[in-house]
Amino acid sequence: MPITANNPDRKSWLQVPENSDFPIQNIPFGVFLTKEHVVTIGTRIGNYAIDLGALQQLSYFEGIELTDDMFMQDTLNDFISDGKKTWRLVRNRIADIFDQNNPELRDNTSHRDVVIFNIEDVEMQLPILIGDYTDFYSSKEHATNVGKMFRDPDNALLPNWVHIPVGYHGRSSTIIPSGIPVHRPMGQTLPNGETQPVFGPSRLVDFELETAFITTDANIMGENIPIEEAEEYIFGMVLLNDWSARDIQKWEYVPLGPFLAKNFASSISPWIVTLDALEPFRTSSPVQEPKPLAYLQQEGDHAFDINLEVTIAPENVAPTLLSKSNFKYMYWTMSQQLTHHTVNGCRVNSGDMMGSGTISGSTPDSFGSMLELTWGGKNPITMKDGTERKFINDGDTVTMTGYCQNDLVRIGFGEVSSKLLPPFVRK
Amino acid sequence: MPITANNPDRKSWLQVPENSDFPIQNIPFGVFLTKEHVVTIGTRIGNYAIDLGALQQLSYFEGIELTDDMFMQDTLNDFISDGKKTWRLVRNRIADIFDQNNPELRDNTSHRDVVIFNIEDVEMQLPILIGDYTDFYSSKEHATNVGKMFRDPDNALLPNWVHIPVGYHGRSSTIIPSGIPVHRPMGQTLPNGETQPVFGPSRLVDFELETAFITTDANIMGENIPIEEAEEYIFGMVLLNDWSARDIQKWEYVPLGPFLAKNFASSISPWIVTLDALEPFRTSSPVQEPKPLAYLQQEGDHAFDINLEVTIAPENVAPTLLSKSNFKYMYWTMSQQLTHHTVNGCRVNSGDMMGSGTISGSTPDSFGSMLELTWGGKNPITMKDGTERKFINDGDTVTMTGYCQNDLVRIGFGEVSSKLLPPFVRK
């Protein structure tokens, strides 16, 4: 089925600012709360939030097989369960409804009043109920940088890394949407040169610049997903700030991996950009040498050219650009990650989320964490107010943005932005 | 509020076989499917499954604040959310209803017909929707044994182990109830002495003898649970077989911990035995030396004396007893685990599950995995049919049982039993 929603020549009757992340070619999916405290599934064009539940009630999705309340829900899980054909039909239909040449909704003021909101008037929610969250570690540059600092500079990359899209399980209960502040975590750390740990606020809170993909029901338990089919089960992508406490991580992570250093918060951008919308931005991945085992080999382009940026803004201070990276730098692709994840029969459900791992490029200005940007605190970064940062201070707001751009269209993610607060005080 | 359900002198009008795990003093909670394909929440006395949904419809819970459909659900999550006071009221009421001196239900045949089933006539389900699954690593003996084999015999225990209840996130989507068979996983392994990995069926499939506890909503994000309060948030316990593929684990687990070696299956016993029912079996834990940091220090007895056994039965062969262990051997308690898990503000929800880690004792016949029992395959175990096992063969059924016993009462878990099948063949 053609993805007519991607037609770059189409214009909407809704006004879209220049360089908007959300032209009519994007049509992402999210969940929002209206001023009237109604939760609904929606999409976004320009600076308008569009209530898909209302559109469905007004019969705009006639002819597409959907349960009656498909878009009147507080998560996208059921819609994602319906599979790629339905996602495509719905996106194509939304593009038609908002096409400048289609008068149906354009000229119906009473319908427009209940369907279209200013983006400032809605409150974005977590778009999915995340059953399981996996985080990969798929940037060779990041894994090498961390290996140099935490382990052995001469053997930074462990032998398994080039054979396995290394990943681990994260915590679903603390995944939050952009805008929700995060408290500096408390925890155990081992001061340098000491043998006895101490308890207190983490002193090394960091961001990790990542993307994540959201899956549909992929398999039954026991069954694997062949690599040729993997992309069929990927609904779309979000930006992910995988908050990390480096001092807690260093002390706790052997032998079972990071735990409390990560599970205090992971922030995501609220609009899921579909893999269909990203189709024009497919590109090649870094060459994989040695060649991966047969089940991980694939033909064609499975990376996506997504520009990524991170800024930090102290309170009442303009943001400072810290890093410019790109999703295409990742060594392992999303299809390789999903194939590997299921090769042992691990079940993947609708709404599961899989993080890319920190996305670092090869130059120091493209590193995806403070750990790497300041090289463990050795090279502090100066903010616009003259203060220095080795890691993140209380009151700092970390913002990540991401977009794809070619001559014809720009498809963006908006942002994931969250402020770091001092440790939580129990009442 | 007194736990009158625990009165050891009480007898039920339902017949309970001698040495049953489920006397009227147990009253565990589970979810089952009746012959009529109705899913309901239930309890068990002797070899009878009791439909709590039917009991509620017949007004047997009058006076206890419960939503109308509390027990007519396919998971216990909502009931668990109601908190310890409600759990206790309901257990006390069930004990009253089935007390031999209470004629109300005993003498009402039409009620009995819709409430009570033979245990063979119902199909046990997963009792909870597990949002997040964490697995700890809290047996000093197990951690030492694994450290000796996988790392350094002279420094088997890593320095953080005596300070931190080490744990990591597991996969919720592949947690299954007793009785569901498990396929041998496929995966990458590194043959001894080689530098290139190979792909194929795991050759070293193992069990891990564990228990797990189920939590209620414990905190908001950012908030920690003080150790004095931790047990308030523990609903109950199950037996857990944390299936493991040792060859996959060895190759993949650095630096982020076990992943595909574990997430192909974790089997649990279907009846959740409440912490209240286990109250008479509180006992002391091993002395913790060095003393843990203040937030992990606790007074009183927080271990439980639970006898555990593991058998393996090849197809059509009687089971061989492999291990006799006890939950009380664990170095870190459940309250220490939950307190540590939330000390950084990690949110814990109703239905989250936390595994103990493999429960090994100090003698070789009390080890909780084949890895330890056969010492990495060096000392095979002979089955009743004369065949030898270094790890688990296709067709073998692994069964774990657990019970508490004193002079007055026996409170048991039943079993978690599952068969290992050959690798899954995709149709």
Side-chain angles (χ1 to χ4, degrees):
Chain A
M1 187 196 323
I3 316 174
T4 59
N6 286 5
N7 175 2
D9 298 326
R10 194 196 304 268
K11 287 199 160 42
S12 176
W13 48 263
L14 279 174
Q15 196 246 321
V16 177
E18 209 179 338
N19 284 326
S20 170
D21 278 354
F22 303 101
I24 192 169
Q25 288 78 16
N26 191 339
I27 312 180
F29 292 91
V31 171
F32 59 78
L33 192 66
T34 67
K35 266 187 178 169
E36 288 76 35
H37 298 284
V38 177
V39 177
T40 185
I41 288 172
T43 187
R44 176 173 178 172
I45 295 177
N47 291 325
Y48 297 102
I50 292 152
D51 183 337
L52 297 180
L55 271 182
Q56 188 182 10
Q57 278 185 297
L58 297 167
S59 304
Y60 282 87
F61 294 116
E62 208 98 299
I64 303 175
E65 234 178 88
L66 296 167
T67 54
D68 289 346
D69 65 342
M70 179 52 82
F71 295 119
M72 285 157 265
Q73 300 195 49
D74 57 3
T75 72
L76 279 156
N77 294 55
D78 283 354
F79 176 59
I80 295 173
S81 269
D82 273 0
K84 185 154 269 189
K85 190 183 155 199
T86 302
W87 313 333
R88 200 168 282 182
L89 283 169
V90 167
R91 258 184 93 248
N92 287 348
R93 177 67 59 88
I94 295 169
D96 281 346
I97 297 168
F98 290 91
D99 187 303
Q100 61 178 359
N101 301 316
N102 184 342
E104 201 182 359
L105 179 63
R106 185 190 71 196
D107 299 346
N108 189 327
T109 317
S110 65
H111 283 188
R112 285 175 59 158
D113 283 350
V114 296
V115 166
I116 302 168
F117 304 91
N118 286 318
I119 196 74
E120 297 81 23
D121 292 340
V122 304
E123 198 181 302
M124 298 306 300
Q125 309 292 302
L126 202 66
I128 37 173
L129 178 70
I130 299 165
D132 278 295
Y133 162 44
T134 296
D135 200 18
F136 286 94
Y137 188 58
S138 290
S139 155
K140 194 171 192 174
E141 292 79 3
H142 172 69
T144 304
N145 289 338
V146 171
K148 280 182 187 169
M149 278 183 274
F150 274 31
R151 284 182 302 273
D152 176 2
D154 296 325
N155 293 289
L157 212 57
L158 289 164
N160 60 5
W161 198 92
V162 292
H163 298 285
I164 293 177
V166 169
Y168 71 113
H169 298 118
R171 180 92 188 165
S172 300
S173 71
T174 46
I175 299 174
I176 49 175
S178 180
I180 308 276
V182 170
H183 288 279
R184 178 179 295 275
M186 305 290 289
Q188 275 194 42
T189 58
L190 188 70
N192 279 337
E194 301 288 326
T195 57
Q196 292 303 307
V198 297
F199 179 74
S202 166
R203 290 168 304 106
L204 310 180
V205 175
D206 201 353
F207 63 81
E208 292 198 322
L209 170 64
E210 302 196 21
T211 60
F213 64 92
I214 314 298
T215 63
T216 185
D217 313 279
N219 58 346
I220 58 169
M221 202 170 141
E223 189 182 29
N224 69 298
I225 305 296
I227 193 146
E228 311 80 54
E229 295 178 21
E231 283 181 1
E232 291 300 302
Y233 300 101
I234 299 176
F235 174 63
M237 293 176 69
V238 294
L239 305 173
L240 165 63
N241 178 358
D242 194 35
W243 292 90
S244 300
R246 299 299 177 192
D247 43 357
I248 295 174
Q249 184 175 354
K250 197 173 177 184
W251 174 230
E252 76 171 358
Y253 92 104
V254 281
L256 300 183
F259 182 52
L260 299 191
K262 300 280 190 172
N263 67 16
F264 60 100
S266 310
S267 304
I268 64 171
S269 57
W271 293 107
I272 305 178
V273 176
T274 63
L275 214 60
D276 269 3
L278 297 171
E279 197 56 46
F281 302 97
R282 269 184 196 277
T283 186
S284 59
S285 304
V287 174
Q288 295 185 323
E289 183 52 49
K291 221 173 166 170
L293 287 170
Y295 76 97
L296 292 171
Q297 291 173 17
Q298 59 186 163
E299 301 294 321
D301 289 343
H302 299 276
F304 293 86
D305 183 1
I306 306 173
N307 302 287
L308 300 164
E309 291 188 4
V310 188
T311 66
I312 286 190
E315 267 173 337
N316 305 314
V317 176
T320 294
L321 178 66
L322 297 188
S323 175
K324 283 172 86 106
S325 188
N326 194 303
F327 180 65
K328 72 181 176 190
Y329 300 153
M330 302 308 278
Y331 188 85
W332 296 102
T333 66
M334 296 185 285
S335 20
Q336 288 176 320
Q337 291 168 340
L338 182 55
T339 296
H340 181 67
H341 204 317
T342 61
V343 78
N344 68 341
C346 178
R347 190 164 86 174
V348 171
N349 291 315
S350 172
D352 287 350
M353 185 171 113
M354 303 196 183
S356 58
T358 306
I359 303 169
S360 293
S362 54
T363 57
D365 59 351
S366 65
F367 291 167
S369 65
M370 292 297 274
L371 180 72
E372 296 164 87
L373 289 164
T374 70
W375 209 254
K378 288 201 187 85
N379 312 314
I381 295 169
T382 305
M383 299 285 110
K384 292 237 163 91
D385 60 357
T387 58
E388 288 194 334
R389 291 293 179 282
K390 295 176 176 175
F391 287 89
I392 303 171
N393 283 10
D394 291 350
D396 287 353
T397 296
V398 179
T399 302
M400 298 173 178
T401 53
Y403 66 94
C404 309
Q405 176 106 51
N406 61 23
D407 293 345
L408 301 168
V409 70
R410 172 185 169 118
I411 300 290
F413 289 79
E415 64 177 30
V416 55
S417 181
S418 6
K419 188 174 181 171
L420 183 65
L421 300 180
F424 185 92
V425 179
R426 208 167 186 250
K427 303 233 163 56
Chain B
M1 188 194 325
I3 316 174
T4 58
N6 286 6
N7 175 3
D9 297 328
R10 193 196 305 267
K11 287 198 160 41
S12 175
W13 48 264
L14 279 173
Q15 196 246 322
V16 176
E18 209 179 338
N19 283 324
S20 170
D21 280 352
F22 303 100
I24 192 169
Q25 288 77 15
N26 190 339
I27 312 181
F29 292 91
V31 171
F32 60 77
L33 190 67
T34 68
K35 265 187 179 169
E36 288 76 34
H37 298 286
V38 177
V39 178
T40 186
I41 288 172
T43 187
R44 176 172 178 171
I45 295 177
N47 291 325
Y48 297 103
I50 292 152
D51 184 338
L52 297 180
L55 271 182
Q56 187 181 10
Q57 279 185 296
L58 296 169
S59 305
Y60 282 87
F61 294 117
E62 208 98 300
I64 303 176
E65 235 178 86
L66 295 168
T67 54
D68 288 347
D69 65 341
M70 180 53 82
F71 295 120
M72 283 158 265
Q73 299 194 49
D74 56 4
T75 74
L76 279 157
N77 294 56
D78 283 352
F79 176 59
I80 295 173
S81 268
D82 273 1
K84 186 154 268 189
K85 189 183 154 200
T86 302
W87 313 333
R88 201 167 280 181
L89 283 168
V90 167
R91 259 184 93 248
N92 287 349
R93 178 69 58 88
I94 295 170
D96 281 346
I97 298 168
F98 290 92
D99 187 303
Q100 62 179 358
N101 300 316
N102 184 343
E104 201 182 0
L105 178 63
R106 184 191 70 197
D107 298 347
N108 188 327
T109 318
S110 64
H111 282 189
R112 286 176 58 158
D113 283 351
V114 295
V115 166
I116 302 168
F117 304 92
N118 286 317
I119 196 72
E120 298 81 23
D121 292 338
V122 305
E123 198 181 302
M124 296 307 298
Q125 309 291 303
L126 202 66
I128 37 172
L129 177 69
I130 299 165
D132 279 293
Y133 161 44
T134 295
D135 199 18
F136 286 94
Y137 189 58
S138 290
S139 155
K140 194 171 191 172
E141 292 79 5
H142 171 69
T144 304
N145 288 339
V146 172
K148 280 182 187 168
M149 278 184 273
F150 273 31
R151 283 181 303 272
D152 176 3
D154 297 326
N155 292 290
L157 212 56
L158 289 164
N160 60 5
W161 197 92
V162 291
H163 299 284
I164 293 178
V166 170
Y168 71 112
H169 298 118
R171 179 97 189 162
S172 301
S173 70
T174 45
I175 299 173
I176 48 176
S178 180
I180 308 277
V182 169
H183 287 278
R184 179 180 294 274
M186 306 289 289
Q188 275 195 40
T189 56
L190 188 71
N192 279 336
E194 301 287 327
T195 57
Q196 293 302 307
V198 297
F199 179 74
S202 166
R203 289 166 306 106
L204 310 180
V205 176
D206 201 352
F207 64 81
E208 291 197 323
L209 170 63
E210 303 196 21
T211 61
F213 65 91
I214 315 296
T215 63
T216 184
D217 313 279
N219 59 346
I220 58 169
M221 200 169 143
E223 190 182 30
N224 69 299
I225 305 296
I227 194 146
E228 311 81 54
E229 296 178 21
E231 283 181 2
E232 291 300 301
Y233 300 101
I234 300 175
F235 174 63
M237 294 177 69
V238 293
L239 305 173
L240 165 65
N241 178 358
D242 194 36
W243 292 90
S244 300
R246 300 298 178 194
D247 43 357
I248 295 174
Q249 183 175 356
K250 197 174 177 182
W251 173 231
E252 76 170 359
Y253 92 105
V254 280
L256 300 183
F259 182 53
L260 300 191
K262 298 281 188 169
N263 67 17
F264 61 99
S266 310
S267 304
I268 64 171
S269 58
W271 294 107
I272 305 177
V273 176
T274 63
L275 215 59
D276 268 2
L278 297 171
E279 198 55 45
F281 303 96
R282 270 184 197 277
T283 186
S284 59
S285 305
V287 175
Q288 295 186 323
E289 184 51 50
K291 221 173 165 169
L293 287 171
Y295 76 97
L296 291 172
Q297 291 174 17
Q298 59 187 164
E299 301 294 322
D301 289 343
H302 300 276
F304 294 85
D305 183 1
I306 307 172
N307 301 288
L308 300 164
E309 291 188 5
V310 187
T311 66
I312 286 190
E315 268 172 334
N316 305 314
V317 176
T320 294
L321 177 66
L322 297 189
S323 176
K324 283 172 87 106
S325 188
N326 195 303
F327 180 64
K328 72 181 175 190
Y329 300 153
M330 301 308 278
Y331 187 86
W332 295 103
T333 66
M334 295 185 285
S335 19
Q336 289 177 318
Q337 291 169 338
L338 183 55
T339 295
H340 181 67
H341 203 318
T342 61
V343 79
N344 68 342
C346 179
R347 190 163 87 173
V348 170
N349 292 314
S350 172
D352 288 351
M353 186 172 112
M354 303 197 185
S356 57
T358 305
I359 303 169
S360 293
S362 55
T363 57
D365 59 351
S366 65
F367 292 166
S369 64
M370 292 297 274
L371 179 72
E372 297 163 87
L373 288 164
T374 70
W375 208 255
K378 289 201 186 84
N379 311 314
I381 296 168
T382 305
M383 300 285 110
K384 293 239 163 88
D385 60 357
T387 59
E388 288 194 333
R389 292 292 180 282
K390 296 177 175 174
F391 288 88
I392 304 171
N393 284 11
D394 292 349
D396 286 354
T397 296
V398 179
T399 302
M400 298 173 178
T401 53
Y403 66 93
C404 308
Q405 176 106 52
N406 60 23
D407 292 347
L408 301 168
V409 70
R410 172 185 169 117
I411 301 290
F413 288 80
E415 64 177 30
V416 54
S417 181
S418 7
K419 187 174 183 172
L420 183 65
L421 301 180
F424 185 92
V425 178
R426 207 166 187 251
K427 302 233 164 56

